[in-house]
Amino acid sequence: MKTDKKLLFIFILLFTGTTAAEQIEGKVVKVLDGDTVQVLDSAKNNYRVRLYGIDAPEKNQAWGQNAKKALSRAIASKNVVVVINGVDIYKRTLGTIWLDGYNMNGSMVSSGHAWVYRNQGQPTVPAYLPYEKQAQQASSGLWSESSPIPPWVWRQQEKNKQE
């Protein structure tokens, strides 16, 4: 293994918290929203991948379509590597998507198209917090709004409306 590939492998393990670098290599065949995609591997297995550690606005929420378009521009129809971080309650693969050595999950946060995902108030990937802060300070993307509503708050508001 070349030195640069060894470093990338080590970085992936450290950055994503993955102990075994289980991964999928395939083509992004569909972008469903700002944090969920379909990936087709060479064996024609189709995976629904939820970008691990981030939470993009919902499709019907302010900035939702912008987030989807940003992710589409970045990775639609491209070959990616997905480092698997687990499976969520909806049976989607939780993964960190890499395109040409770039962490696309972190990129969505740093460009202001997603928040760092928080579970019970704690960030799932604390390493993304500086990206969120930088996007907020630069008023990038959804941070150009004075008080953007996080998707977890928006989802709860929508649920309350239906009750």
Side-chain angles (χ1 to χ4, degrees), residues 17-57:
T18 305
T19 55
E22 190 177 345
Q23 63 185 35
I24 302 163
E25 294 185 33
K27 183 177 184 176
V28 176
V29 293
K30 186 173 185 177
V31 175
L32 297 150
D33 58 29
D35 56 27
T36 310
V37 299
Q38 295 272 144
V39 176
L40 186 67
D41 70 9
S42 61
K44 304 296 183 208
N45 296 310
N46 203 2
Y47 299 88
R48 184 163 288 195
V49 179
R50 170 74 160 76
L51 279 68
Y52 179 72
I54 74 169
D55 202 358

Side-chain angles (χ1 to χ4, degrees), residues 139-151:
S139 298
S140 297
L142 60 90
W143 297 107
S144 64
E145 298 282 325
S146 60
S147 297
I149 299 170

Side-chain angles (χ1 to χ4, degrees), residues 42-141:
S42 61
K44 304 296 183 208
N45 296 310
N46 203 2
Y47 299 88
R48 184 163 288 195
V49 179
R50 170 74 160 76
L51 279 68
Y52 179 72
I54 74 169
D55 202 358
E58 297 295 328
K59 285 187 263 188
N60 297 330
Q61 183 182 356
W63 291 95
Q65 290 302 314
N66 291 10
K68 179 181 178 180
K69 288 176 188 174
L71 190 57
S72 291
R73 281 191 303 270
I75 65 173
S77 301
K78 295 186 180 165
N79 291 314
V80 298
V81 174
V82 180
V83 176
I84 299 173
N85 299 96
V87 178
D88 71 6
I89 61 172
Y90 304 106
K91 309 253 190 276
R92 297 175 296 191
T93 299
L94 292 170
T96 303
I97 297 183
W98 294 86
L99 174 66
D100 299 329
Y102 291 99
N103 179 323
M104 298 311 300
N105 303 32
S107 178
M108 288 295 289
V109 174
S110 68
S111 63
H113 290 102
W115 276 263
V116 174
Y117 182 80
R118 288 159 174 86
N119 185 5
Q120 298 179 354
Q122 297 302 309
T124 306
V125 182
Y128 293 162
L129 288 173
Y131 300 150
E132 185 178 270
K133 186 173 184 176
Q134 181 182 19
Q136 189 175 14
Q137 289 173 341
S139 298
S140 297

